[in-house]
Amino acid sequence: MQRNILLFSFLFVPVLLLLMFVLYPLFELIRLSFTDWNGMDAKQVYIGFDNYMKMFTDSSDVWLSLRNNGFYFLFHLIMIPLELAVAVVLDSKIRANKFFKTVVFMPYIINGVAISYMFAFFYSPINGGLNGILEVLGLESLIQNWLTDESIVNLSLVFVSIWRFSGFHIILFLAGLQSIPQDQFEAAKIDGASSIQNFWYIIVPGVKKVLEVLLFLNVVGALQVFDIPYIMTQGGPGHASSTFTLYTLETAFKFNNFGMASAMGITMLVLIIVLNSVQKRLFNLKGVDEE
Amino acid sequence: MQQVRPRMTRILCTLMITALMVPLFSACGSKEKSDVEKEQSAQPATQQEQKVEEKEPVTLKFPIWSTITEDLFNKLDLVNEYKKEHPNVTIELELLKDTEYENTMKIRNSANELPDILPLKSAWLINFKDNILPLDDLDAAKNNMFAADFKVNDHIYGVPESQFNEFVWYRKSVFQEYGLEIPKTWGEFVTAAKKIKDGGKYIPIAMGGKDAWPDYPFNEFMPSLVAGDGDYWSTMATIDEPFTKGQAYYDAYAKIQELYDAKVMGPDPLGIGFDQSKLMFASKQAAMIGLGQWFGSDLKSMKDVDMNDVGAFLLPVRDSESDPFNTISMVDTFFTIPKTSKYPEEAKEFINWFFSDAWYSKYLTEAQLQSTVKDVKIDLGPMFKGAFDMSNLNYVLYKGGSEDYKKIESAIKFDVKKMGQDMMAGKDFNKMMQEMNNSWKNARSKLK
């Protein structure tokens, strides 16, 4: 009895907070997604699945935004093996590896808004750093309108995202690498395993857990990317660099369609769950202990 | 029995002492009271009246969206000026980012936390109409020349603070250098810009296209100017295909496209924001910039700007000098009072004070904006000298659009400023117009 009282009193507050700030808003969001609420009126008319239908049939910009999210997802995915390779190098006994670890991690701890402003100036067509560097190197032919040319604007933004998050991924991999028992490497050495065999049979399975986390973070991060395009281009020119989150906010606040924006919020939640489970199946991601 | 008697004695004693103490204390009380009364009666009558008039302290929350306005309010000491007349009222100013202002207010509205005085743009009045008080009986509303023009459901909900025109600000020395005169038609305007571009020395027109909104003198206002109809958005809501050649919207946008295609806005107008474009004009890298009258005080506050070299002319959109010269007349910053305000009467009193002679003329002269109040004339200074000396001048009072327009706008996410960005980026103009026609017609058919 005393145990139950203790459990109840310890769990009451967190459960209450969870109900108030997680479950209630979620159910409210689901409810709103079936209404035509404009965010101002007291009146909310239930319109069934209209918002969900319109989202994918009436608005080509939703697909454009999702395609832009796809850029972030794809390029971060491509970077993962490279990040693992860098982590392996940093894990070895190279000189000044602590310094390099700090340098690699630095972008992640800088405020995202500051990074966006920094790169906005870097890409600027007037006195911009990147075009300046190209000029000094005599590569004027490569000078571009980095944030206004529709064909490259998303690549420019994805680069900033990679610059910001790769260091964090490398540090996660490093933590994974350091959790691999040294005796596995020693045993492999006795068996005469090559570096590639070490990498494939010890390192990769050893960091599977980290990989699982990273792939999940990649899906969430790619679908929710907001600050970089918002500050650097505001989704422009037109909607060329808009992302799903930017488009959702625009739908809610600029065009007073909170019902549709709620539907978009729910859709994003579903997309994250679906993509993550597909990814898990595809890569057969189970940690070493779970096999 | 012996034990009971002393106890009884003690109780009786206590009762007696209490009985004696009550009048003693009450006498003291009455003495104190009578002293106070004596003191009060000795005070002069005027002081007594003041005490009666003392009101409870009130704080009126008053957000603003412009640093220019904040600087002016601080310079003219709005808070203390009002306190002189209303000692119990404190005006609490809050500066919000202009691009986030409306969103912030929508969020605060959902939490019933709107401020006591809520400035709105004309286009937002419809959005907030259910959450603000009608101000038909307010003196400031009755004396305002434009408040009634922006009625919603037959009620005045906001009192507009200022009226201004849209200008092309230009460098007089650059115009002299290239032998240019103030353009009177759209053709002359484009030609002047091209001539400056050919000189290779200056960017003809500074444009902060990255922020989208700075293209508003063109993309937002020109359809109204071409139509000669300040309520053109409402008119558009009655047309199925307003993006067809011959319609004011299409014709205005064809003119804008001609300007953007001339590449007279620097190497990458979409790559720079408003602040950079402003600096380009201030440092004479650019010869012209299209912005409202409000830009004057912004420019003045910047360092090292030779104001004698800066002039302003009205954007010409007409094809020939025989046509009427339409110019946008913008009425802005509607003072409204939310229903949730705890101090609606004090807020009304503040609005009446704001538009009174004591403050209003002083403020508008400093802001270099025109009055919305009857019989108040503001001296705009030498910068606008000659700007209004135009034959056939026709003021087009810009409005935000009807509820039907808002529904269509929301349904198809009609964003003229983004369209301006697309046009600068070189999107296929005719295809864009065709797509807009289809979406517009479709949305109109679903209007309830």
Side-chain angles (χ1 to χ4, degrees):
Chain A
M1 182 64 187
Q2 198 181 1
R3 193 166 156 265
N4 285 343
I5 292 169
L6 201 70
L7 272 174
F8 178 78
S9 34
F10 273 93
L11 286 175
F12 179 73
V13 175
V15 168
L16 190 74
L17 291 174
L18 195 79
L19 288 172
M20 273 168 64
F21 296 110
V22 180
L23 284 180
Y24 171 70
L26 179 68
F27 286 122
E28 188 62 11
L29 193 72
I30 294 171
R31 187 186 67 77
L32 281 175
S33 74
F34 295 111
T35 69
D36 68 347
W37 191 44
N38 68 1
M40 303 289 300
D41 286 355
K43 191 178 70 178
Q44 295 175 353
V45 179
Y46 286 92
I47 53 169
F49 284 90
D50 270 17
N51 285 330
Y52 292 91
M53 297 292 282
K54 269 187 202 161
M55 190 196 325
F56 292 111
T57 53
D58 263 12
S59 177
S60 56
D61 290 329
V62 168
W63 293 106
L64 181 70
S65 302
L66 277 174
R67 191 205 65 176
N68 294 342
N69 284 103
F71 274 107
Y72 291 87
F73 175 76
L74 196 70
F75 280 91
H76 273 289
L77 196 69
I78 292 168
M79 284 301 291
I80 285 175
L82 199 68
E83 287 158 359
L84 179 58
V86 174
V88 171
V89 172
L90 284 177
D91 194 41
S92 63
K93 283 170 186 157
I94 58 160
R95 195 178 283 182
N97 67 350
K98 275 188 183 167
F99 168 75
F100 287 119
K101 279 178 199 171
T102 313
V103 169
V104 157
F105 193 56
M106 195 76 84
Y108 183 69
I109 54 175
I110 302 174
N111 183 296
V113 176
I115 288 173
S116 305
Y117 273 112
M118 191 173 87
F119 273 93
F121 287 117
F122 184 63
Y123 286 130
S124 173
I126 297 171
N127 305 324
L130 182 54
N131 284 347
I133 291 167
L134 292 172
E135 213 173 312
V136 168
L137 296 174
L139 299 168
E140 282 94 344
S141 59
L142 295 178
I143 287 176
Q144 302 284 337
N145 294 331
W146 299 103
L147 296 178
T148 54
D149 186 338
E150 287 187 22
S151 59
I152 55 169
V153 60
N154 283 304
L155 294 178
S156 304
L157 297 178
V158 167
F159 175 78
V160 180
S161 182
I162 288 172
W163 185 87
R164 185 178 173 200
F165 290 107
S166 282
F168 174 58
H169 298 171
I170 290 168
I171 296 298
L172 284 182
F173 273 131
L174 268 171
L177 287 173
Q178 278 159 14
S179 69
I180 301 172
Q182 277 302 309
D183 53 5
Q184 288 191 16
F185 290 106
E186 282 159 18
K189 197 176 175 186
I190 293 164
D191 290 342
S194 66
S195 314
I196 293 168
Q197 283 170 321
N198 265 352
F199 180 80
W200 198 247
Y201 294 109
I202 302 174
I203 292 175
V204 172
V207 295
K208 257 191 172 180
K209 278 272 186 198
V210 177
L211 204 59
E212 190 181 353
V213 172
L214 277 187
L215 287 171
F216 175 70
L217 288 178
N218 190 24
V219 172
V220 176
L223 275 172
Q224 292 184 346
V225 63
F226 169 72
D227 51 358
I228 292 171
Y230 181 72
I231 292 163
M232 293 180 67
T233 62
Q234 293 183 1
H239 284 103
S241 62
S242 179
T243 59
F244 199 69
T245 313
L246 265 182
Y247 197 67
T248 306
L249 282 173
E250 202 173 72
T251 304
F253 289 105
K254 201 171 189 175
F255 299 106
N256 301 323
N257 201 341
F258 278 70
M260 171 75 88
S262 305
M264 291 170 85
I266 297 296
T267 308
M268 181 186 280
L269 194 73
V270 173
L271 274 173
I272 289 173
I273 294 167
V274 170
L275 274 173
N276 192 50
S277 47
V278 167
Q279 205 170 235
K280 269 176 129 177
R281 277 176 189 276
L282 215 63
F283 292 98
N284 188 25
L285 280 173
K286 275 183 185 169
V288 182
D289 309 338
E290 296 169 52
E291 283 173 350
Chain B
M1 193 66 187
Q2 275 178 342
Q3 283 175 345
V4 175
R5 193 169 285 165
R7 196 185 295 163
M8 281 294 288
T9 317
R10 272 206 302 274
I11 291 169
L12 281 169
C13 281
T14 314
L15 281 172
M16 275 178 72
I17 288 165
T18 315
L20 280 167
M21 291 295 274
V22 169
L24 188 72
F25 277 119
S26 60
C28 284
S30 63
K31 186 176 179 292
E32 277 171 20
K33 195 180 173 186
S34 64
D35 284 349
V36 172
E37 275 170 2
K38 272 180 200 165
E39 266 177 41
Q40 276 184 349
S41 61
Q43 280 176 350
T46 48
Q47 276 187 24
Q48 273 194 39
E49 279 167 20
Q50 272 181 1
K51 286 212 164 181
V52 172
E53 277 177 14
E54 251 179 32
K55 293 173 182 171
E56 60 160 330
V58 167
T59 301
L60 293 180
K61 292 187 177 174
F62 180 15
I64 41 181
W65 62 66
S66 153
T67 49
I68 303 169
T69 311
E70 189 195 32
D71 291 345
L72 288 170
F73 282 175
N74 287 336
K75 191 178 175 186
L76 300 174
D77 205 7
L78 169 94
V79 177
N80 289 321
E81 284 293 314
Y82 191 65
K83 222 173 184 28
K84 275 183 201 166
E85 288 186 31
H86 300 81
N88 65 319
V89 181
T90 305
I91 305 294
E92 193 181 292
L93 294 172
E94 183 189 9
L95 178 69
L96 295 162
K97 198 171 158 46
D98 48 1
T99 48
E100 293 302 319
Y101 181 85
E102 195 195 359
N103 293 351
T104 309
M105 289 308 146
K106 281 177 187 167
I107 293 166
R108 288 189 188 176
N109 176 56
S110 61
N112 283 332
E113 282 179 0
L114 283 176
D116 301 285
I117 298 144
L118 173 68
L120 296 175
K121 288 188 176 287
S122 62
W124 304 339
L125 283 171
I126 288 180
N127 297 344
F128 283 87
K129 68 179 190 305
D130 294 335
N131 311 91
I132 49 181
L133 293 169
L135 301 176
D136 303 88
D137 297 329
L138 196 71
D139 286 342
K142 287 177 193 164
N143 295 332
N144 201 288
M145 293 186 285
F146 302 100
D149 287 316
F150 291 86
K151 277 185 174 179
V152 180
N153 298 342
D154 225 22
H155 285 295
I156 294 174
Y157 282 102
V159 187
E161 176 212 70
S162 56
Q163 184 237 323
F164 54 83
N165 293 94
E166 290 298 317
F167 292 98
V168 177
W169 301 81
Y170 74 105
R171 286 288 191 168
K172 291 175 186 169
S173 56
V174 177
F175 270 50
Q176 271 170 9
E177 197 178 329
Y178 290 97
L180 295 168
E181 290 200 355
I182 303 299
K184 293 186 177 68
T185 62
W186 182 257
E188 285 176 20
F189 176 62
V190 178
T191 308
K194 279 180 180 167
K195 200 167 178 184
I196 297 169
K197 183 191 168 195
D198 292 342
K201 215 169 156 187
Y202 310 99
I203 290 170
I205 302 168
M207 167 60 77
K210 186 178 147 187
D211 290 331
W213 69 263
D215 65 25
Y216 79 89
F218 306 106
N219 288 83
E220 187 177 356
F221 289 160
M222 274 183 56
S224 281
L225 288 175
V226 169
D229 174 8
D231 204 13
Y232 183 68
W233 300 135
S234 306
T235 311
M236 251 175 97
T238 63
I239 304 168
D240 261 348
E241 294 186 331
F243 305 90
T244 309
K245 199 173 180 179
Q247 296 284 356
Y249 192 95
Y250 182 98
D251 294 348
Y253 269 50
K255 282 183 169 164
I256 299 167
Q257 191 65 62
E258 181 195 355
L259 181 75
Y260 292 165
D261 285 347
K263 306 283 177 204
V264 288
M265 294 176 168
D268 186 11
L270 287 169
I272 59 168
F274 170 64
D275 287 336
Q276 283 169 294
S277 66
K278 186 171 84 173
L279 285 172
M280 275 162 53
F281 181 73
S283 60
K284 211 180 152 183
Q285 288 178 63
M288 294 184 269
I289 188 165
L291 291 168
Q293 201 164 324
W294 52 269
F295 183 58
S297 52
D298 199 2
L299 203 57
K300 265 198 216 164
S301 67
M302 292 168 78
K303 280 181 185 169
D304 304 326
V305 182
D306 178 10
M307 293 305 288
N308 293 323
D309 189 34
V310 176
F313 62 84
L314 298 169
L315 179 72
V317 295
R318 61 184 176 178
D319 292 322
S320 77
E321 285 192 41
S322 56
D323 296 339
F325 192 110
N326 291 338
T327 187
I328 283 288
S329 204
M330 184 77 186
V331 181
D332 202 16
T333 317
F334 286 70
F335 285 4
T336 70
I337 302 173
K339 285 177 180 170
T340 49
S341 169
K342 282 184 202 159
Y343 309 108
E345 291 311 314
E346 283 83 354
K348 283 179 184 172
E349 211 168 315
F350 172 76
I351 294 177
N352 276 334
W353 174 85
F354 193 95
F355 288 92
S356 67
D357 284 346
W359 168 264
Y360 189 62
S361 323
K362 195 169 65 175
Y363 167 64
L364 281 199
T365 307
E366 197 65 38
Q368 294 278 283
L369 300 171
Q370 284 142 261
S371 165
T372 56
V373 179
K374 290 166 195 161
D375 305 325
V376 175
K377 289 267 177 266
I378 305 297
D379 178 16
L380 295 178
M383 250 191 313
F384 303 98
K385 202 179 167 189
F388 297 96
D389 299 340
M390 202 66 68
S391 59
N392 289 340
L393 192 61
N394 178 36
Y395 291 99
V396 175
L397 182 64
Y398 184 76
K399 294 188 178 178
S402 61
E403 282 203 89
D404 274 356
Y405 166 74
K406 295 269 172 201
K407 280 179 189 165
I408 300 172
E409 182 192 40
S410 165
I412 65 168
K413 297 193 169 66
F414 180 55
D415 185 345
V416 290
K417 289 158 197 164
K418 286 257 181 202
M419 279 178 84
Q421 281 190 321
D422 282 338
M423 289 163 77
M424 279 183 243
K427 266 203 171 170
D428 186 331
F429 177 69
N430 282 318
K431 193 179 163 200
M432 192 197 292
M433 292 292 115
Q434 188 56 50
E435 283 171 2
M436 287 306 299
N437 258 342
N438 294 340
S439 318
W440 193 271
K441 196 175 176 180
N442 189 25
R444 270 205 80 223
S445 69
K446 290 174 188 164
L447 275 181
K448 284 171 189 169

